């Protein structure tokens, strides 16, 4: 089965609204990361967050290991936030496989 | 500074022709290295990973091969390209995953 499930698959916001993206995982966690994929394809790491809460500007990532979930909160969204957001998990005993979610396609309208 | 240099940036190749994509890392000692592939509009698929020089494990069979000739180099190749090889190829390292800027391959 799929190790990482992301939701929602897509999200449309008006500029200024907040977004909450979820990542649920079914394996024991070694590391969790959130990425932003630009329309051109390159990936930018937003957070390396195996546990707890981290903040960066308008972004907040929270990983709760016991509940096997991680979230990415975007506050006061801007049109430049549009793109694909991916979570990636490296599990214990995963033989160095890193599992990606299928991503959330975010569109922020002006 | 830690960097991943991928080459070429983009490539248009004919079906049946050979391919070699390269990835060179700097600023990270003995990392795990990965090749990922993403079809247009598709999800990321891990193709290969390498824990150490000379050792490569295949994750998905796509008629591609990979080699790690040096600690800081990871090569993806095939003797004969298929149309289905088109897409975006990304090299990455872990721990704390970091990606190169990718190679966009179009097979015609």
């Amino acid at each position: 089965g799929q190790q990482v499930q992301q939701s929602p698959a897509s999200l449309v916001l008006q500029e200024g609204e907040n977004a909450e993206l979820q990542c649920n995982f079914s394996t024991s966690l070694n590391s969790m990361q959130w990425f932003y994929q630009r329309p051109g394809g390159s990936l930018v790491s937003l957070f390396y967050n195996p546990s707890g809460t981290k903040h960066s500007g308008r972004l907040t990532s929270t990983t709760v290991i016991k509940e096997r979930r991680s979230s990415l909160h975007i506050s006061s969204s801007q049109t430049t936030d549009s793109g694909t957001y991916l979570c990636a998990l490296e599990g214990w005993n995963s033989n160095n496989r890193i599992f990606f979610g299928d991503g959330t396609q975010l569109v922020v309208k002006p | 500074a830690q960097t991943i240099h991928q080459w070429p940036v983009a490539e248009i190749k004919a079906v049946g022709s050979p391919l070699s994509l390269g990835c060179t890392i700097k600023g990270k000692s003995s990392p795990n290295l990965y090749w990922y592939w993403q079809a247009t509009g598709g999800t990321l698929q891990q193709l290969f990973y390498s824990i150490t020089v000379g050792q490569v494990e295949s994750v998905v069979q796509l008629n591609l091969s990979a080699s790690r000739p040096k600690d800081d180099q990871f090569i993806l190749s095939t003797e004969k390209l298929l149309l289905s090889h088109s897409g975006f190829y990304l090299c990455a390292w872990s721990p704390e995953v970091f990606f190169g800027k990718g190679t966009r391959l179009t097979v015609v």
Side-chain angles (χ1 to χ4, degrees):
Chain A
Q2 197 166 348
Q3 306 281 353
V4 181
Q5 294 191 332
Q6 271 190 259
S7 60
S10 62
L11 185 60
V12 180
L13 300 175
Q14 288 298 132
E15 198 167 28
E17 291 182 325
N18 299 332
E20 184 90 4
L21 312 182
Q22 295 287 344
C23 182
N24 293 284
F25 46 92
S26 59
T27 187
S28 298
L29 180 68
N30 189 33
S31 69
M32 169 62 71
Q33 265 179 279
W34 283 92
F35 291 89
Y36 168 68
Q37 187 167 29
R38 296 189 174 112
S42 62
L43 284 115
V44 176
S45 179
L46 300 174
F47 291 102
Y48 178 73
N49 187 17
S51 67
T53 298
K54 291 191 175 182
H55 303 276
S56 177
R58 295 181 293 105
L59 304 180
T60 300
S61 169
T62 300
T63 299
V64 184
I65 296 174
K66 280 197 302 186
E67 296 177 13
R68 297 200 170 184
R69 64 174 176 85
S70 182
S71 64
L72 178 68
H73 183 84
I74 305 173
S75 62
S76 304
S77 62
Q78 300 174 359
T79 56
T80 51
D81 294 332
S82 297
T84 302
Y85 292 81
L86 295 155
C87 63
L89 160 81
E90 185 174 13
W92 288 107
N93 301 319
S94 66
N95 292 325
N96 295 291
R97 287 196 65 178
I98 297 172
F99 299 97
F100 277 85
D102 288 343
T104 294
Q105 305 267 1
L106 176 65
V107 174
V108 182
K109 295 184 175 181
Chain B
Q2 295 180 330
T3 60
I4 297 181
H5 174 57
Q6 281 190 246
W7 75 92
V9 173
E11 186 96 270
I12 299 175
K13 302 276 282 185
V15 169
S17 63
L19 173 78
S20 182
L21 303 182
C23 169
T24 298
I25 65 167
K26 285 187 181 177
K28 189 90 166 173
S29 180
S30 302
N32 297 332
L33 293 178
Y34 306 84
W35 277 110
Y36 285 87
W37 171 74
Q38 187 176 35
T40 302
T43 57
L44 278 172
Q45 287 195 53
Q46 191 174 1
L47 301 177
F48 298 94
Y49 70 87
S50 171
I51 300 172
T52 189
V53 174
Q55 181 266 345
V56 176
E57 297 293 333
S58 172
V59 177
V60 174
Q61 288 295 330
L62 282 181
N63 293 308
L64 295 167
S65 60
S67 65
R68 188 169 179 180
K70 295 191 277 187
D71 188 52
D72 62 354
Q73 200 171 63
F74 206 20
I75 307 294
L76 184 70
S77 60
T78 184
E79 294 286 320
K80 285 187 176 181
L81 278 166
L82 307 172
L83 285 174
S84 57
H85 286 139
S86 292
F88 193 55
Y89 289 83
L90 287 154
C91 178
W93 74 42
S94 79
E96 195 160 349
V97 180
F98 181 81
F99 284 91
K101 293 191 188 304
T103 295
R104 190 158 299 281
L105 175 66
T106 304
V107 182
V108 295

